[in-house]
Short mmCIF file of all heavy atoms in Angstrom, two decimals:
data_model
loop_
_atom_site.label_atom_id
_atom_site.label_comp_id
_atom_site.label_asym_id
_atom_site.label_seq_id
_atom_site.Cartn_x
_atom_site.Cartn_y
_atom_site.Cartn_z
N LEU W 1 242.98 -24.58 39.96
CA LEU W 1 242.96 -24.84 41.44
C LEU W 1 244.31 -25.36 41.86
O LEU W 1 244.84 -24.98 42.93
CB LEU W 1 241.85 -25.81 41.78
CG LEU W 1 240.42 -25.26 41.68
CD1 LEU W 1 239.40 -26.36 41.92
CD2 LEU W 1 240.20 -24.11 42.65
N ASP W 2 244.95 -26.25 41.06
CA ASP W 2 246.27 -26.74 41.40
C ASP W 2 247.29 -25.63 41.41
O ASP W 2 248.31 -25.73 42.13
CB ASP W 2 246.71 -27.82 40.40
CG ASP W 2 246.01 -29.15 40.66
OD1 ASP W 2 245.39 -29.30 41.72
OD2 ASP W 2 246.07 -30.06 39.76
N ALA W 3 247.06 -24.62 40.64
CA ALA W 3 248.00 -23.47 40.56
C ALA W 3 247.72 -22.43 41.62
O ALA W 3 248.31 -21.36 41.59
CB ALA W 3 247.93 -22.85 39.17
N ASP W 4 246.77 -22.72 42.53
CA ASP W 4 246.49 -21.80 43.66
C ASP W 4 245.69 -20.58 43.29
O ASP W 4 245.69 -19.57 43.98
CB ASP W 4 247.76 -21.34 44.37
CG ASP W 4 248.08 -22.23 45.59
OD1 ASP W 4 247.19 -22.99 46.01
OD2 ASP W 4 249.18 -22.14 46.12
N VAL W 5 244.99 -20.64 42.18
CA VAL W 5 244.10 -19.54 41.80
C VAL W 5 242.91 -19.55 42.77
O VAL W 5 242.42 -20.63 43.13
CB VAL W 5 243.62 -19.65 40.35
CG1 VAL W 5 242.70 -18.51 39.97
CG2 VAL W 5 244.82 -19.64 39.40
N SER W 6 242.43 -18.38 43.18
CA SER W 6 241.33 -18.29 44.12
C SER W 6 240.09 -19.02 43.62
O SER W 6 239.76 -18.95 42.41
CB SER W 6 241.00 -16.82 44.34
OG SER W 6 239.81 -16.65 45.06
N LEU W 7 239.37 -19.70 44.54
CA LEU W 7 238.21 -20.48 44.15
C LEU W 7 237.14 -19.62 43.49
O LEU W 7 236.53 -20.04 42.49
CB LEU W 7 237.64 -21.21 45.39
CG LEU W 7 236.40 -22.07 45.15
CD1 LEU W 7 236.70 -23.18 44.15
CD2 LEU W 7 235.89 -22.65 46.46
N ASP W 8 236.88 -18.45 44.03
CA ASP W 8 235.86 -17.57 43.45
C ASP W 8 236.23 -17.18 42.01
O ASP W 8 235.37 -17.14 41.15
CB ASP W 8 235.68 -16.32 44.30
CG ASP W 8 235.09 -16.62 45.66
OD1 ASP W 8 234.41 -17.68 45.78
OD2 ASP W 8 235.31 -15.85 46.61
N VAL W 9 237.51 -16.89 41.79
CA VAL W 9 237.97 -16.52 40.46
C VAL W 9 237.85 -17.72 39.52
O VAL W 9 237.43 -17.54 38.35
CB VAL W 9 239.42 -16.03 40.52
CG1 VAL W 9 239.97 -15.74 39.13
CG2 VAL W 9 239.53 -14.78 41.37
N VAL W 10 238.17 -18.90 39.99
CA VAL W 10 238.08 -20.10 39.16
C VAL W 10 236.61 -20.37 38.74
O VAL W 10 236.36 -20.65 37.58
CB VAL W 10 238.63 -21.34 39.90
CG1 VAL W 10 238.34 -22.63 39.12
CG2 VAL W 10 240.13 -21.19 40.14
N LYS W 11 235.70 -20.23 39.68
CA LYS W 11 234.28 -20.43 39.36
C LYS W 11 233.80 -19.48 38.28
O LYS W 11 233.14 -19.85 37.30
CB LYS W 11 233.43 -20.29 40.62
CG LYS W 11 233.51 -21.43 41.61
CD LYS W 11 232.65 -21.15 42.83
CE LYS W 11 232.69 -22.31 43.83
NZ LYS W 11 231.88 -22.04 45.01
N GLN W 12 234.14 -18.21 38.47
CA GLN W 12 233.73 -17.18 37.49
C GLN W 12 234.39 -17.43 36.13
O GLN W 12 233.74 -17.33 35.09
CB GLN W 12 234.14 -15.81 38.04
CG GLN W 12 233.72 -14.63 37.15
CD GLN W 12 234.18 -13.30 37.72
OE1 GLN W 12 234.81 -13.26 38.78
NE2 GLN W 12 233.90 -12.22 37.03
N PHE W 13 235.65 -17.78 36.16
CA PHE W 13 236.40 -18.00 34.91
C PHE W 13 235.82 -19.16 34.11
O PHE W 13 235.53 -19.05 32.90
CB PHE W 13 237.88 -18.27 35.28
CG PHE W 13 238.75 -18.54 34.09
CD1 PHE W 13 239.37 -17.46 33.43
CD2 PHE W 13 239.00 -19.81 33.64
CE1 PHE W 13 240.20 -17.68 32.36
CE2 PHE W 13 239.82 -20.03 32.56
CZ PHE W 13 240.44 -18.98 31.93
N THR W 14 235.65 -20.31 34.76
CA THR W 14 235.18 -21.50 34.05
C THR W 14 233.73 -21.33 33.60
O THR W 14 233.34 -21.89 32.55
CB THR W 14 235.30 -22.76 34.97
OG1 THR W 14 234.69 -22.50 36.24
CG2 THR W 14 236.77 -23.12 35.16
N ALA W 15 232.91 -20.60 34.36
CA ALA W 15 231.54 -20.36 33.93
C ALA W 15 231.51 -19.56 32.62
O ALA W 15 230.73 -19.91 31.70
CB ALA W 15 230.77 -19.61 35.03
N HIS W 16 232.36 -18.55 32.53
CA HIS W 16 232.40 -17.73 31.30
C HIS W 16 232.92 -18.56 30.13
O HIS W 16 232.40 -18.45 29.01
CB HIS W 16 233.30 -16.52 31.53
CG HIS W 16 232.70 -15.50 32.41
ND1 HIS W 16 233.41 -14.39 32.89
CD2 HIS W 16 231.45 -15.38 32.93
CE1 HIS W 16 232.61 -13.66 33.65
NE2 HIS W 16 231.41 -14.24 33.67
N VAL W 17 233.96 -19.38 30.40
CA VAL W 17 234.54 -20.22 29.30
C VAL W 17 233.51 -21.20 28.82
O VAL W 17 233.32 -21.36 27.59
CB VAL W 17 235.81 -20.97 29.80
CG1 VAL W 17 236.26 -21.98 28.79
CG2 VAL W 17 236.90 -19.98 30.09
N ARG W 18 232.78 -21.87 29.72
CA ARG W 18 231.79 -22.88 29.30
C ARG W 18 230.65 -22.22 28.49
O ARG W 18 230.24 -22.72 27.47
CB ARG W 18 231.20 -23.56 30.53
CG ARG W 18 230.27 -24.71 30.20
CD ARG W 18 229.73 -25.40 31.43
NE ARG W 18 228.97 -26.58 31.07
CZ ARG W 18 227.71 -26.56 30.63
NH1 ARG W 18 227.07 -25.36 30.53
NH2 ARG W 18 227.07 -27.66 30.30
N GLU W 19 230.19 -21.06 28.97
CA GLU W 19 229.09 -20.37 28.29
C GLU W 19 229.50 -20.01 26.86
O GLU W 19 228.72 -20.23 25.91
CB GLU W 19 228.72 -19.12 29.07
CG GLU W 19 227.56 -18.34 28.48
CD GLU W 19 227.25 -17.07 29.25
OE1 GLU W 19 227.83 -16.89 30.34
OE2 GLU W 19 226.43 -16.27 28.77
N ARG W 20 230.69 -19.48 26.70
CA ARG W 20 231.13 -19.07 25.36
C ARG W 20 231.50 -20.28 24.48
O ARG W 20 231.30 -20.22 23.28
CB ARG W 20 232.34 -18.12 25.48
CG ARG W 20 231.97 -16.78 26.09
CD ARG W 20 233.20 -15.85 26.09
NE ARG W 20 233.75 -15.62 24.78
CZ ARG W 20 234.86 -14.94 24.52
NH1 ARG W 20 235.56 -14.41 25.53
NH2 ARG W 20 235.30 -14.77 23.27
N ALA W 21 232.04 -21.34 25.10
CA ALA W 21 232.42 -22.50 24.34
C ALA W 21 231.23 -23.27 23.76
O ALA W 21 231.36 -23.95 22.75
CB ALA W 21 233.25 -23.46 25.22
N LEU W 22 230.08 -23.12 24.42
CA LEU W 22 228.85 -23.80 23.92
C LEU W 22 228.05 -22.88 22.99
O LEU W 22 226.99 -23.30 22.48
CB LEU W 22 227.96 -24.21 25.10
CG LEU W 22 228.53 -25.34 25.96
CD1 LEU W 22 227.64 -25.56 27.19
CD2 LEU W 22 228.62 -26.65 25.17
N SER W 23 228.53 -21.67 22.74
CA SER W 23 227.79 -20.73 21.92
C SER W 23 228.06 -20.97 20.43
O SER W 23 228.86 -21.81 20.04
CB SER W 23 228.16 -19.31 22.29
OG SER W 23 229.51 -19.05 21.95
N ASP W 24 227.41 -20.17 19.60
CA ASP W 24 227.52 -20.33 18.15
C ASP W 24 228.91 -19.97 17.64
O ASP W 24 229.31 -20.40 16.58
CB ASP W 24 226.47 -19.46 17.40
CG ASP W 24 225.07 -20.03 17.56
OD1 ASP W 24 224.99 -21.24 17.87
OD2 ASP W 24 224.08 -19.30 17.37
N GLU W 25 229.63 -19.11 18.37
CA GLU W 25 230.94 -18.70 17.88
C GLU W 25 231.89 -19.88 17.80
O GLU W 25 232.85 -19.86 17.01
CB GLU W 25 231.54 -17.61 18.78
CG GLU W 25 231.89 -18.06 20.17
CD GLU W 25 232.58 -16.94 20.98
OE1 GLU W 25 233.54 -16.36 20.49
OE2 GLU W 25 232.09 -16.66 22.10
N VAL W 26 231.69 -20.94 18.58
CA VAL W 26 232.51 -22.12 18.50
C VAL W 26 231.88 -23.15 17.56
O VAL W 26 232.57 -23.76 16.76
CB VAL W 26 232.70 -22.76 19.91
CG1 VAL W 26 233.40 -24.12 19.80
CG2 VAL W 26 233.50 -21.82 20.81
N ASN W 27 230.57 -23.32 17.63
CA ASN W 27 229.88 -24.29 16.77
C ASN W 27 230.08 -24.00 15.31
O ASN W 27 230.16 -24.93 14.48
CB ASN W 27 228.40 -24.35 17.09
CG ASN W 27 228.13 -24.87 18.49
OD1 ASN W 27 228.94 -25.67 19.01
ND2 ASN W 27 227.05 -24.49 19.13
N LYS W 28 230.13 -22.75 14.93
CA LYS W 28 230.26 -22.36 13.51
C LYS W 28 231.72 -22.14 13.08
O LYS W 28 231.98 -21.80 11.94
CB LYS W 28 229.47 -21.09 13.26
CG LYS W 28 227.94 -21.29 13.41
CD LYS W 28 227.19 -19.98 13.16
CE LYS W 28 225.68 -20.18 13.32
NZ LYS W 28 224.94 -18.91 13.13
N ALA W 29 232.64 -22.30 14.04
CA ALA W 29 234.05 -22.06 13.68
C ALA W 29 234.63 -23.20 12.86
O ALA W 29 234.23 -24.37 12.99
CB ALA W 29 234.85 -21.92 14.98
N LEU W 30 235.56 -22.86 11.96
CA LEU W 30 236.22 -23.86 11.15
C LEU W 30 237.09 -24.75 12.00
O LEU W 30 237.26 -25.95 11.70
CB LEU W 30 237.05 -23.19 10.04
CG LEU W 30 236.27 -22.43 8.99
CD1 LEU W 30 237.23 -21.71 8.03
CD2 LEU W 30 235.37 -23.39 8.19
N ASN W 31 237.70 -24.19 13.04
CA ASN W 31 238.54 -24.96 13.94
C ASN W 31 238.08 -24.71 15.37
O ASN W 31 238.53 -23.75 16.02
CB ASN W 31 240.02 -24.54 13.77
CG ASN W 31 240.95 -25.49 14.47
OD1 ASN W 31 240.66 -26.02 15.54
ND2 ASN W 31 242.10 -25.77 13.83
N PRO W 32 237.20 -25.53 15.90
CA PRO W 32 236.63 -25.29 17.25
C PRO W 32 237.70 -25.26 18.35
O PRO W 32 237.57 -24.49 19.29
CB PRO W 32 235.69 -26.49 17.45
CG PRO W 32 235.36 -26.99 16.07
CD PRO W 32 236.60 -26.72 15.26
N ALA W 33 238.73 -26.10 18.22
CA ALA W 33 239.77 -26.17 19.27
C ALA W 33 240.46 -24.82 19.37
O ALA W 33 240.71 -24.30 20.51
CB ALA W 33 240.79 -27.26 18.96
N GLN W 34 240.85 -24.21 18.24
CA GLN W 34 241.49 -22.91 18.30
C GLN W 34 240.55 -21.84 18.86
O GLN W 34 240.99 -20.92 19.51
CB GLN W 34 241.95 -22.53 16.88
CG GLN W 34 243.13 -23.32 16.39
CD GLN W 34 243.64 -22.83 15.03
OE1 GLN W 34 243.09 -21.88 14.48
NE2 GLN W 34 244.63 -23.51 14.49
N GLN W 35 239.29 -21.98 18.57
CA GLN W 35 238.30 -21.00 19.07
C GLN W 35 238.24 -21.09 20.61
O GLN W 35 238.13 -20.07 21.28
CB GLN W 35 236.94 -21.28 18.46
CG GLN W 35 235.96 -20.14 18.60
CD GLN W 35 236.37 -18.94 17.78
OE1 GLN W 35 236.99 -19.08 16.74
NE2 GLN W 35 236.01 -17.72 18.23
N VAL W 36 238.28 -22.31 21.15
CA VAL W 36 238.26 -22.48 22.61
C VAL W 36 239.51 -21.86 23.24
O VAL W 36 239.46 -21.23 24.27
CB VAL W 36 238.13 -23.98 22.97
CG1 VAL W 36 238.29 -24.19 24.48
CG2 VAL W 36 236.76 -24.52 22.55
N VAL W 37 240.67 -22.09 22.60
CA VAL W 37 241.94 -21.50 23.09
C VAL W 37 241.79 -19.98 23.13
O VAL W 37 242.22 -19.32 24.08
CB VAL W 37 243.14 -21.92 22.21
CG1 VAL W 37 244.39 -21.19 22.64
CG2 VAL W 37 243.35 -23.42 22.33
N GLN W 38 241.20 -19.43 22.09
CA GLN W 38 241.02 -17.97 22.02
C GLN W 38 240.08 -17.48 23.15
O GLN W 38 240.35 -16.44 23.78
CB GLN W 38 240.42 -17.57 20.67
CG GLN W 38 240.21 -16.06 20.47
CD GLN W 38 241.52 -15.29 20.55
OE1 GLN W 38 242.51 -15.66 19.90
NE2 GLN W 38 241.55 -14.22 21.34
N ILE W 39 239.04 -18.26 23.44
CA ILE W 39 238.11 -17.92 24.53
C ILE W 39 238.87 -17.92 25.88
O ILE W 39 238.73 -17.01 26.68
CB ILE W 39 236.93 -18.87 24.56
CG1 ILE W 39 236.03 -18.61 23.34
CG2 ILE W 39 236.12 -18.74 25.84
CD1 ILE W 39 234.96 -19.70 23.14
N VAL W 40 239.66 -18.98 26.13
CA VAL W 40 240.42 -19.07 27.35
C VAL W 40 241.40 -17.91 27.47
O VAL W 40 241.60 -17.31 28.53
CB VAL W 40 241.14 -20.44 27.45
CG1 VAL W 40 242.07 -20.49 28.66
CG2 VAL W 40 240.14 -21.58 27.53
N ASN W 41 242.03 -17.56 26.34
CA ASN W 41 242.96 -16.45 26.33
C ASN W 41 242.25 -15.16 26.71
O ASN W 41 242.73 -14.36 27.52
CB ASN W 41 243.59 -16.33 24.94
CG ASN W 41 244.61 -15.21 24.83
OD1 ASN W 41 245.69 -15.30 25.39
ND2 ASN W 41 244.24 -14.15 24.16
N ASP W 42 241.06 -14.92 26.13
CA ASP W 42 240.31 -13.71 26.42
C ASP W 42 239.92 -13.63 27.89
O ASP W 42 240.02 -12.56 28.53
CB ASP W 42 239.03 -13.67 25.57
CG ASP W 42 239.32 -13.48 24.07
OD1 ASP W 42 240.46 -13.10 23.75
OD2 ASP W 42 238.40 -13.74 23.27
N GLU W 43 239.52 -14.75 28.47
CA GLU W 43 239.10 -14.76 29.85
C GLU W 43 240.30 -14.60 30.79
O GLU W 43 240.20 -13.98 31.86
CB GLU W 43 238.36 -16.06 30.18
CG GLU W 43 237.01 -16.22 29.46
CD GLU W 43 236.06 -15.07 29.75
OE1 GLU W 43 236.06 -14.58 30.89
OE2 GLU W 43 235.33 -14.68 28.84
N LEU W 44 241.48 -15.14 30.39
CA LEU W 44 242.68 -14.94 31.20
C LEU W 44 243.07 -13.45 31.20
O LEU W 44 243.45 -12.91 32.25
CB LEU W 44 243.84 -15.75 30.61
CG LEU W 44 244.08 -17.16 31.17
CD1 LEU W 44 245.23 -17.83 30.44
CD2 LEU W 44 244.34 -17.15 32.65
N VAL W 45 242.98 -12.81 30.05
CA VAL W 45 243.25 -11.37 29.97
C VAL W 45 242.33 -10.59 30.90
O VAL W 45 242.74 -9.67 31.59
CB VAL W 45 243.12 -10.88 28.52
CG1 VAL W 45 243.20 -9.35 28.46
CG2 VAL W 45 244.15 -11.51 27.61
N ALA W 46 241.06 -11.04 30.94
CA ALA W 46 240.08 -10.33 31.78
C ALA W 46 240.42 -10.45 33.25
O ALA W 46 240.38 -9.44 33.99
CB ALA W 46 238.67 -10.93 31.53
N ILE W 47 240.79 -11.65 33.75
CA ILE W 47 241.08 -11.76 35.19
C ILE W 47 242.42 -11.14 35.54
O ILE W 47 242.68 -10.85 36.70
CB ILE W 47 241.01 -13.23 35.69
CG1 ILE W 47 242.17 -14.06 35.11
CG2 ILE W 47 239.70 -13.88 35.40
CD1 ILE W 47 242.31 -15.44 35.75
#
């Protein structure tokens, strides 16, 4: 939001990141932090 990204895009983006970050792909990962970075990267590529 500070970077002027559209509110609708921000809502959609963060919803997808939260859903995937709470899933098994992060819980079972050896390094959860890197997995979250990968999720954010994937969602950035999508938008």
Side-chain angles (χ1 to χ4, degrees):
L1 289 174
D2 283 348
D4 265 347
V5 180
S6 169
L7 180 60
D8 293 336
V9 175
V10 172
K11 286 180 178 179
Q12 182 182 359
F13 180 87
T14 52
H16 288 170
V17 170
R18 186 179 187 280
E19 181 182 352
R20 291 183 60 185
L22 291 173
S23 66
D24 287 341
E25 67 176 308
V26 173
N27 292 333
K28 294 179 180 178
L30 293 175
N31 192 323
Q34 288 184 1
Q35 196 69 29
V36 171
V37 173
Q38 182 61 48
I39 290 170
V40 173
N41 182 71
D42 293 344
E43 295 301 325
L44 268 179
V45 172
I47 68 170

